[in-house]
Amino acid sequence: MGYFLLHHLTDITLSILVDTMNTAQLESITSAAMTLSERERAKLAHDLVASLDGPADISVAEAWDAEICRRINDIEAGKTELLDSDEAIARARDRIRS
């Protein structure tokens, strides 16, 4: 019940915020953003999309860092066979067919 109420209140709050930002304000923000360099717009777009996902889960980032390090160590130790993209795709297609 508490989650439902919180979710409902969040929806109402977002509706109020969206209603208070009229089309002219949104267009003004968009126009200002369009004056940024391509790199700055890309950073802004990334930040806006990331904000929709909520806070980052540090444990997931740490797990990926550990996995990346493990894979690099395997490559450097010669434990991993590296393939070019054509060979990797061909092998994947063969596995799908069989």
Side-chain angles (χ1 to χ4, degrees), residues 60-94:
V60 171
E62 289 173 353
W64 271 113
D65 287 346
E67 178 63 16
I68 291 165
C69 288
R70 184 192 66 75
R71 291 180 187 194
I72 290 171
N73 289 337
D74 284 353
I75 291 168
E76 290 175 347
K79 296 179 182 177
T80 302
E81 177 186 7
L82 299 178
L83 304 173
D84 65 28
S85 59
D86 291 335
E87 177 65 18
I89 291 170
R91 287 188 183 189
R93 286 183 176 146
D94 287 343

